[in-house]
Amino acid sequence: MIPGWSQSAAEYGRNIEELAQGRRVIALDMRSHGESPDAACGHRIQRLAMDLREAMDALGLDRVDVLGHSMGSSVIWSYLDLFGEDRLRRLVIVDQAPMVAALPGWDAEARKSFGCLLPDVQSVAGFCDAVRATSTVEGAKEILRGMFTPGIPETDLNWIASENLKMPRAAAADLLFDHCLNDWRDVIVNTRLPSLVIGGRKSIFSAESQEWIASVNPNARASIYEEHEGGSHFMFFENPRRFNAEVSAFLST
């Protein structure tokens, strides 16, 4: 289980126990995330994919199912780009767009199809500057609030913002910049591993983009959570009951 950008493995706390019934579950804090040591360098997706490979080496894992939320899915796609399907069995892709920032010349329909959060690459710098300048829980909450449904308890949002801030802001901004500029469409189109793609109707990434990811892989299917089902960017946190049951069923096939 790979968390999203600047998030921690602890945020899978509502999922691990149930998913671990009958299988071994490992949730990773990537470099400079959560409880992992702060790294002086390597805050880019490609390096995180190599970190995943090295973690598998260190743990002696020859065959794994891998789940990534948000940027964690980009780490999976980068792993596929670097190493192919080696050691991977099944994928759970949780709410990550193939492209975070729209490429020049893309119209509104293309941006919706590929889930772009930002209208153009020029917007990436402003987003990263806002992250770099935000060092308080209150500030982090305002960046994160739109990633949840309106019903998220304030206490939960406070805790997630605190977990987010465990990553130094300069490192978080550097990683975000790299993350936003990657285009994973060619990797996705060539993926044939059995995959469950989970999205939210009210997520920061369009449900259409999640359906597109599933549509180009004959061994994939999409599951979209409606708003009343916790269907925003963190559905695994807001609706763990459905999420856990769905992922467990997929991994048991």
Side-chain angles (χ1 to χ4, degrees):
M1 300 182 79
I2 308 171
W5 166 78
S6 203
Q7 308 301 330
S8 72
E11 293 173 42
Y12 288 129
R14 298 178 177 183
N15 316 112
I16 291 173
E17 183 176 356
E18 188 168 344
L19 294 178
Q21 295 179 17
R23 64 182 61 86
R24 183 184 183 189
V25 174
I26 298 166
L28 295 178
D29 277 331
M30 304 303 285
R31 64 172 57 209
S32 302
H33 290 68
E35 303 306 316
S36 287
D38 295 341
C41 59
H43 298 110
R44 54 188 175 274
I45 302 299
Q46 187 179 52
R47 180 61 250 185
L48 298 188
M50 181 63 77
D51 288 346
L52 173 60
R53 177 79 168 193
E54 291 177 357
M56 291 164 64
D57 288 341
L59 294 168
L61 303 177
D62 294 324
R63 197 74 170 155
V64 302
D65 303 320
V66 61
L67 179 154
H69 169 238
S70 193
M71 187 204 72
S73 296
S74 295
V75 174
I76 294 171
W77 292 328
S78 183
Y79 181 101
L80 288 166
D81 198 29
L82 292 170
F83 307 111
E85 297 179 357
D86 185 48
R87 303 192 194 180
L88 303 184
R89 183 168 50 186
R90 288 169 293 202
L91 309 179
V92 182
I93 301 297
V94 184
D95 209 50
Q96 174 56 48
M99 185 73 181
V100 177
L103 292 175
W106 281 12
D107 60 17
E109 189 61 31
R111 293 197 296 269
K112 186 176 183 180
S113 295
F114 299 121
C116 303
L117 171 63
L118 302 174
D120 50 51
V121 294
Q122 290 81 7
S123 304
V124 175
F127 189 12
C128 294
D129 286 345
V131 168
R132 196 181 300 272
T134 302
S135 59
T136 66
V137 168
E138 288 302 315
K141 278 168 56 179
E142 294 316 305
I143 290 175
L144 294 169
R145 189 179 297 278
M147 301 181 187
F148 294 84
T149 64
I152 184 75
E154 205 68 13
T155 52
D156 286 345
L157 196 55
N158 283 332
W159 178 74
I160 289 172
S162 298
E163 291 297 298
N164 188 273
L165 290 172
K166 288 181 177 179
M167 186 176 195
R169 294 298 83 187
D174 288 346
L175 178 58
L176 182 64
F177 187 81
D178 180 77
H179 170 47
C180 288
L181 296 180
N182 279 286
D183 181 354
W184 299 112
R185 289 175 298 158
D186 60 335
V187 176
I188 294 166
V189 165
N190 286 294
T191 298
R192 290 296 178 266
L193 287 171
S195 302
L196 173 63
V197 183
I198 299 176
R201 191 71 62 190
K202 293 297 182 180
S203 174
I204 57 174
F205 299 127
S206 69
E208 287 83 357
S209 68
Q210 306 309 291
E211 291 166 342
W212 179 83
I213 292 168
S215 73
V216 296
N217 178 354
N219 301 311
R221 69 174 182 87
S223 177
I224 306 299
Y225 290 48
E226 300 300 328
E227 182 175 6
H228 72 275
E229 297 174 308
S232 192
H233 190 47
F234 282 76
M235 72 291 290
F236 67 92
F237 188 89
E238 294 200 65
N239 191 350
R241 183 175 181 179
R242 174 179 169 180
F243 184 90
N244 296 343
E246 203 159 23
V247 173
S248 290
F250 170 70
L251 295 180
S252 298
T253 57

